[in-house]
Amino acid sequence: MKATELPIINFLQTPNVQYVIPVYQRNYDWTLSECSQLLHDIINVEQEDRGTHFIGSIVFIHEGAYSTREVRELVIIDGQQRLTTINILYVALYRFAKEKGMEKEAEMLYNMYLVNQYVQLDSSKLKLKQTDTNSLAFKAILEGNEKGFSTYSNVIENYSYFNSQINEVNFEIIKNGLKRLIFVEISLERDKDDPQRIFESLNSTGLDLSQSDLIRNYILMDLQPREQQRVFNIIWSPIEENARDLVKQKSMVSAYIRDYLTLKNKKIPNKSKVYQEFKQNYSDKRDEGYMNELDSIKALSVHYKMFVNPQTVGNPEIRQQLEYINRLEINVAYPFLLQVFEDWDNGIIDKAILLNVLKLVQNYAWRRFIVGLPTNSLNKIFMTLYSEIDTEEYYDSLAIALLSKRGNSRFPNNEDVTSALKDKDLYNIKAKNRNYLFELLENYNNREYVDTSKDEITVEHIFPQNPSDNWVRNLSEDELFLFKEKFLNTIANLTLSGNNGALGNKSFLEKKKMNFKVGEQGYIYSRLWLNDYLKTIDTWNIKAYETRFNLISNRFLVIWKYPDVEVPSNGDIIEQTIFEAESPRHKKLEYFIFRNNKVEEPAIANMYSHVLQELYTINTELFLSNDILRISRDKEEFRSAQEITNRYYVEFNIDSDTKFNILKKLLSLFDLEEELLIKYDLDVAIQGNRYGIRKEYWTQLLPLIKETDLFRNVSPTKTHFISCGAGKTGISYTLVTTGSHCQVELSILAGQKETNKSYFKKLKANQNSIEHSFDNKLIWQELPENKMSRIKYVLDDVNLFDKSHWSKMNTFFLEQLPKFEEAFAQEISKL
């Protein structure tokens, strides 16, 4: 085996060599996504003059020093995707040069990279020798016959993409960028090396870098050694420590970064592309905000530690609720809960609200489990859920948001749950789910907690799984059938017992009164609530079953309660699939979510175009062959042609209803019915709700602020506050309006609590001079128990929702904001 690092063009320029893709290799399956990234890298390495760009390795087998063939064959066993794609790109460059009359350039590209110029045999002419359809497709693009190629091929599609990207401006850039690509050539000699062993070694899963490894290397690699150590100690090491499952001793850093990116971008990265998403978000590592973002990642990892290790939480009530969420594996809620816990840390909500939120998340997930709703929609729900919270009415706004979900995203009501409970098999479910159910049922309002997880306490069938003759004699044929076939494993036929083995399949009276060797095994001796009703009856039949079911189901509805809030009927907060939505005619969007990616886009036409592009990427062959939508590369076929991607056009002169109907049919064809969610923007139309009133107030106030540049680039929002930077990361000026007061505030909210308290104390040391400059006393709130601190000036007795107060509020903000900024600006600059 011989390994050499060299430029890819040196490899491709080798004369009288043919690169053979053997039949046992997988098909060429690179898509536009990979081609786009490669072309981006090629252009960037040239434009940024970065020297070289490494593209991995190519492993091949050769026949040794001596060969009688006209060309030397190199059998590619690893790297065929990259090699094929680069050859396709060279074909696109050759075709461009030829079409533009650049004859010498075209001849050089053709003879140097694509063919063996002087060989005689046609079969040896092409430098890249592929198999089957790929070979025919490659010859078609080389000869300019791709339009006559009827079979779908990634070779054709990727050529079309490259062809669409090359122009007079970037032609030389791409050519020169290709010269900068380097790879490791690993040559194996047949009969001397073991290609399979080497291939497995190169691709060993044990050597694969995890997503978190790649992120760590990305963060640290470019730093000087001393700075590397510092950033590792103060940023990365705490993140690794916090994002670790202490029970399983398993790193959760990749999962945590994925959840953090989901929270920030409202888009769920693919598990295998977390590093790629991270790198894309933080590509400018020289930017000041980059280190602040790392600080934020570190700060929120403290909350994540509580999620994956509830046993580390000091407060027993919060610990218990997190244990339940952990046990039910509601980890799709983690991105949402990261921000909720940050709000708790900052004093925006208190412990009581936090506990109610945690219980509401459980209630929503558990009711959905009972009813049997699919779990695959939950990640999209929690991905954007925080954006629907009104911090003034935290719990109620969250409850309304969840109650407003429709279809498979809905919050099951009491009728749904009661109906499902009666028939659902709750015995043959995950043990931890079953234990959760019985633990909460048993311990609701119990003064003395019963640990239902003890080994001696097990789930007991009242009507047994293998009934004795006594049961057959004492029940009617219909009752026996119902218990055996319908109710055996349902909640009303299940109870808890410390004597499961002893009770077995005995008759009901024996189970009730059993006291073998004074062991008090029977129901009448039990202290469990679940057995209280069983003490009062002598026969277990369908009537008794119905009575016990009512007792348990009523208790269930109290424990996992349906939120008692009024959902606005105007529908201004409903997020739903397009299959459930009203007609889009004369409407705008607030946003849409497609395949876990939230896009804030008002135009339905732009959503239509976006989804079509995504469907092309998901399954190009299916998209191009569908009978639902006419697609063509000839734009003259349409009245109003719109390019979707890769020079494919569709008709765009259609109304919104037609666009919706086409999308519905396509989504059904692709089995993606639940993957497109929309939310109509009704804030403008509905001014009576609190969101619309807030947005209306900020809309009229912001243009009036002229004595300071603060808030010049801030847009109106539906929240009760707006903020802008104060010239120091983590510090902002904030304007607040509520139903009882308004205020100008300096919000101190950096990533770390210690930083915030330090800033606050330095400002507080100059309280007298600051208040003298402001010409008024301020309210100084260090908030020692919370992460944030604040300093504010308040106007009481004004109500945002009474428009007659707006003039007074405007005067307050316009007069106090410039003075407030002037009083703090100099001291902030010193921090």
Side-chain angles (χ1 to χ4, degrees):
M1 182 181 75
K2 183 180 178 182
T4 310
E5 183 179 275
L6 75 161
I8 190 70
I9 62 166
N10 290 12
F11 187 67
L12 296 177
Q13 287 175 2
T14 307
N16 298 336
V17 165
Q18 194 167 51
Y19 308 107
V20 180
I21 310 298
V23 292
Y24 57 76
Q25 283 279 22
R26 64 176 178 159
N27 189 39
Y28 173 65
D29 57 12
W30 267 28
T31 64
L32 260 62
S33 175
E34 290 84 9
C35 292
S36 173
Q37 183 63 53
L38 176 64
L39 186 60
H40 172 81
D41 291 338
I42 291 169
I43 292 173
N44 272 10
V45 72
E46 174 63 18
Q47 288 182 331
E48 297 174 7
D49 195 20
R50 285 193 280 109
T52 59
H53 178 76
F54 182 65
I55 61 167
S57 61
I58 296 177
V59 184
F60 61 88
I61 307 169
H62 65 88
E63 299 294 340
Y66 304 102
S67 175
T68 59
R69 294 191 180 101
E70 186 179 19
V71 297
R72 191 161 62 104
E73 289 191 346
L74 306 181
V75 179
I76 307 298
I77 66 169
D78 188 44
Q80 68 120 337
Q81 303 288 330
R82 289 185 296 274
L83 186 60
T84 303
T85 305
I86 290 171
N87 270 267
I88 294 170
L89 178 54
Y90 268 115
V91 172
L93 289 169
Y94 157 68
R95 289 274 302 275
F96 178 85
K98 192 173 182 181
E99 289 164 11
K100 296 298 180 182
M102 303 159 62
E103 294 297 332
K104 287 186 177 180
E105 194 73 41
E107 183 179 349
M108 183 272 292
L109 288 166
Y110 183 77
N111 290 320
M112 191 172 287
Y113 299 108
L114 299 172
V115 300
N116 291 305
Q117 185 176 4
Y118 299 111
V119 301
Q120 301 300 313
L121 289 174
D122 285 343
S123 61
S124 301
K125 197 77 175 175
L126 282 179
K127 285 201 169 187
L128 182 66
K129 184 179 181 180
Q130 301 178 89
T131 57
D132 303 330
T133 307
N134 289 335
S135 176
L136 296 174
F138 191 85
K139 287 179 181 177
I141 64 172
L142 189 61
E143 296 168 0
N145 296 327
E146 67 274 10
K147 290 183 179 178
F149 197 82
S150 57
T151 307
Y152 175 82
S153 169
N154 279 326
V155 172
I156 301 287
E157 288 303 312
N158 293 342
Y159 164 76
S160 296
Y161 167 72
F162 287 136
N163 181 253
S164 70
Q165 299 300 305
I166 298 170
N167 53 52
E168 287 87 351
V169 176
N170 65 21
F171 177 78
E172 287 295 328
I173 293 173
I174 295 171
K175 265 182 56 188
N176 293 330
L178 281 162
K179 294 176 183 177
R180 294 177 181 266
L181 299 186
I182 61 170
F183 75 108
V184 173
E185 172 196 82
I186 301 176
S187 59
L188 313 176
E189 189 169 343
R190 197 176 300 278
D191 300 327
K192 289 187 178 180
D193 298 305
D194 183 348
Q196 183 63 36
R197 179 180 59 80
I198 293 168
F199 180 83
E200 289 175 355
S201 176
L202 286 168
N203 293 274
S204 168
T205 56
L207 296 177
D208 281 352
L209 290 173
S210 70
Q211 297 295 296
S212 60
D213 289 332
L214 292 167
I215 293 168
R216 180 187 61 214
N217 293 349
Y218 177 73
I219 291 171
L220 300 173
M221 189 173 292
D222 294 339
L223 302 176
Q224 294 296 322
R226 184 174 296 181
E227 183 67 3
Q228 270 187 7
Q229 192 63 50
R230 188 187 74 83
V231 173
F232 177 81
N233 290 339
I234 68 170
I235 298 290
W236 189 257
S237 183
I239 291 172
E240 286 193 330
E241 181 181 342
N242 290 331
R244 185 171 187 79
D245 187 323
L246 298 177
V247 175
K248 298 178 181 177
Q249 286 299 305
K250 176 184 176 184
S251 173
M252 303 292 290
V253 175
S254 296
Y256 166 60
I257 299 293
R258 183 174 185 244
D259 287 337
Y260 180 87
L261 292 173
T262 300
L263 170 66
K264 292 297 180 181
N265 299 336
K266 296 179 176 59
K267 174 184 175 183
I268 304 173
N270 186 292
K271 287 182 180 180
S272 63
K273 295 184 178 179
V274 175
Y275 163 67
Q276 185 177 330
E277 189 78 18
F278 181 89
K279 184 178 177 181
Q280 185 177 333
N281 273 262
Y282 309 115
S283 57
D284 189 355
K285 295 195 284 185
R286 293 174 293 278
D287 182 68
E288 180 188 353
Y290 171 70
M291 287 305 296
N292 295 319
E293 195 66 30
L294 293 183
D295 209 37
S296 175
I297 295 172
K298 170 190 170 183
L300 266 64
S301 72
V302 174
H303 310 319
Y304 202 79
K305 180 179 182 178
M306 292 190 277
F307 302 165
V308 296
N309 303 290
Q311 70 276 15
T312 64
V313 179
N315 184 283
E317 294 172 286
I318 297 173
R319 179 172 65 246
Q320 183 178 63
Q321 297 308 317
L322 286 177
E323 283 175 349
Y324 290 151
I325 288 174
N326 186 276
R327 195 188 305 180
L328 293 176
E329 298 178 321
I330 317 175
N331 50 2
V332 291
Y334 287 174
F336 166 72
L337 291 177
L338 282 172
Q339 190 59 57
V340 172
F341 271 74
E342 185 72 353
D343 288 346
W344 176 52
D345 206 10
N346 286 321
I348 295 172
I349 59 174
D350 58 21
K351 187 184 77 172
I353 293 177
L354 176 66
L355 288 170
N356 284 335
V357 169
L358 294 176
K359 291 174 184 175
L360 182 59
V361 168
Q362 281 176 71
N363 293 355
Y364 179 58
W366 187 242
R367 279 174 171 248
R368 288 172 57 82
F369 170 77
I370 295 298
V371 171
L373 290 173
T375 59
N376 57 4
S377 60
L378 286 176
N379 53 6
K380 292 184 285 293
I381 293 166
F382 285 108
M383 175 183 76
T384 60
L385 188 57
Y386 187 80
S387 64
E388 302 190 62
I389 283 185
D390 178 354
T391 52
E392 273 198 288
E393 300 179 26
Y394 208 96
Y395 174 82
D396 283 1
S397 63
L398 172 60
I400 290 170
L402 289 175
L403 291 177
S404 300
K405 306 299 178 187
R406 297 291 182 267
N408 284 340
S409 302
R410 71 185 185 276
F411 199 130
N413 60 30
N414 289 348
E415 185 179 344
D416 295 331
V417 170
T418 303
S419 176
L421 266 179
K422 193 158 193 176
D423 300 326
K424 189 173 183 70
D425 183 342
L426 289 169
Y427 182 73
N428 294 302
I429 60 176
K430 286 184 178 180
K432 56 185 177 181
N433 287 356
R434 190 172 61 236
N435 292 340
Y436 168 80
L437 170 66
F438 284 105
E439 180 178 336
L440 270 70
L441 277 175
E442 179 57 42
N443 286 296
Y444 176 71
N445 275 350
N446 273 8
R447 293 183 179 179
E448 186 176 345
Y449 178 82
V450 178
D451 185 358
T452 58
S453 65
K454 287 183 177 179
D455 290 342
E456 58 268 27
I457 297 180
T458 57
V459 177
E460 147 84 0
H461 287 79
I462 302 171
F463 176 89
Q465 293 172 292
N466 299 298
S468 63
D469 292 341
N470 284 329
W471 285 98
V472 175
R473 286 194 299 268
N474 292 330
L475 291 173
S476 69
E477 188 175 331
D478 287 344
E479 287 181 314
L480 199 61
F481 175 81
L482 286 172
F483 274 127
K484 280 184 174 182
E485 302 300 327
K486 188 174 182 181
F487 297 141
L488 179 65
N489 295 315
T490 59
I491 188 65
N493 190 53
L494 300 174
T495 190
L496 292 176
S497 170
N499 304 283
N500 185 270
L503 298 177
N505 65 349
K506 293 179 171 57
S507 69
F508 179 78
L509 275 178
E510 288 177 301
K511 288 187 174 191
K512 175 182 174 181
K513 298 179 179 180
M514 188 175 183
N515 190 21
F516 181 69
K517 294 185 177 179
V518 199
E520 298 184 344
Q521 296 91 349
Y523 298 143
I524 59 172
Y525 302 107
S526 174
R527 291 180 296 150
L528 301 177
W529 176 86
L530 282 163
N531 293 324
D532 281 352
Y533 171 69
L534 302 178
K535 299 176 186 178
T536 67
I537 59 174
D538 293 327
T539 302
W540 184 245
N541 52 25
I542 293 300
K543 182 180 179 181
Y545 172 90
E546 296 281 359
T547 302
R548 187 168 185 263
F549 173 77
N550 290 333
L551 290 170
I552 293 176
S553 60
N554 288 337
R555 189 176 179 93
F556 184 103
L557 297 179
V558 173
I559 298 169
W560 293 281
K561 66 181 180 180
Y562 192 71
D564 184 19
V565 294
E566 184 177 346
V567 180
S569 59
N570 53 36
D572 64 318
I573 56 172
I574 293 178
E575 179 187 288
Q576 55 202 327
T577 72
I578 64 168
F579 292 88
E580 301 155 343
E582 296 177 355
S583 165
R585 194 179 301 116
H586 308 308
K587 291 186 177 71
K588 289 185 177 181
L589 301 174
E590 182 178 333
Y591 60 80
F592 68 89
I593 301 170
F594 185 58
R595 298 185 79 218
N596 301 333
N597 181 16
K598 180 179 180 182
V599 180
E600 294 182 354
E601 169 57 61
I604 288 168
N606 290 341
M607 178 191 74
Y608 179 70
S609 178
H610 176 96
V611 174
L612 293 183
Q613 290 175 21
E614 289 292 311
L615 293 177
Y616 173 90
T617 303
I618 292 166
N619 189 332
T620 306
E621 187 172 7
L622 179 61
F623 181 79
L624 295 179
S625 62
N626 80 83
D627 297 326
I628 299 164
L629 177 67
R630 189 157 60 95
I631 305 164
S632 174
R633 281 208 159 107
D634 184 0
K635 61 190 302 184
E636 300 304 321
E637 292 185 21
F638 304 103
R639 289 175 299 166
S640 177
Q642 172 77 28
E643 183 179 3
I644 296 302
T645 188
N646 207 15
R647 294 182 182 173
Y648 282 112
Y649 296 90
V650 298
E651 178 62 62
F652 239 64
N653 187 20
I654 53 177
D655 59 33
S656 294
D657 278 324
T658 304
K659 290 185 176 79
F660 261 42
N661 288 333
I662 291 171
L663 288 179
K664 288 176 186 177
K665 292 176 182 177
L666 287 172
L667 292 171
S668 297
L669 176 66
F670 278 72
D671 293 325
L672 296 172
E673 291 94 332
E674 299 295 326
E675 294 297 320
L676 177 60
L677 302 173
I678 65 167
K679 182 178 176 186
Y680 287 128
D681 183 4
L682 301 181
D683 276 350
V684 176
I686 305 167
Q687 295 296 331
N689 66 75
R690 63 184 183 276
Y691 300 112
I693 291 171
R694 288 171 183 158
K695 193 168 185 178
E696 185 182 356
Y697 178 75
W698 297 127
T699 299
Q700 62 84 39
L701 173 69
L702 288 171
L704 303 177
I705 301 176
K706 297 177 180 177
E707 297 299 317
T708 171
D709 288 337
L710 295 178
F711 297 95
R712 177 161 292 180
N713 297 317
V714 174
S715 300
T717 72
K718 65 181 183 180
T719 62
H720 74 288
F721 66 90
I722 54 174
S723 296
C724 69
K728 183 73 177 179
T729 301
I731 300 181
S732 59
Y733 294 106
T734 304
L735 306 182
V736 179
T737 62
T738 73
S740 61
H741 69 275
C742 60
Q743 67 193 44
V744 182
E745 175 184 307
L746 189 74
S747 307
I748 306 173
L749 191 53
Q752 302 302 317
K753 180 177 181 179
E754 297 78 11
T755 304
N756 295 326
K757 303 313 171 189
S758 172
Y759 285 166
F760 178 85
K761 288 173 182 176
K762 288 177 181 178
L763 293 172
K764 188 76 163 58
N766 295 290
Q767 178 178 352
N768 291 336
S769 63
I770 291 172
E771 290 183 341
H772 177 76
S773 173
F774 184 63
D775 197 28
N776 254 311
K777 292 288 184 183
L778 299 169
I779 300 172
W780 297 73
Q781 295 180 314
E782 182 179 4
L783 306 174
E785 298 302 316
N786 303 121
K787 183 187 292 185
M788 79 172 300
S789 297
R790 66 167 73 96
I791 306 159
K792 61 186 182 180
Y793 186 63
V794 180
L795 173 67
D796 289 314
D797 301 321
V798 288
N799 183 353
L800 168 69
F801 304 104
D802 185 340
K803 289 191 176 182
S804 66
H805 291 193
W806 283 15
S807 177
K808 185 178 180 180
M809 294 163 60
N810 288 351
T811 301
F812 171 77
F813 284 132
L814 297 177
E815 289 181 354
Q816 303 305 327
L817 180 60
K819 292 166 52 184
F820 197 79
E821 179 191 17
E822 185 177 351
F824 279 100
Q826 187 175 355
E827 297 302 329
I828 291 172
S829 67
K830 296 176 184 177
L831 294 175

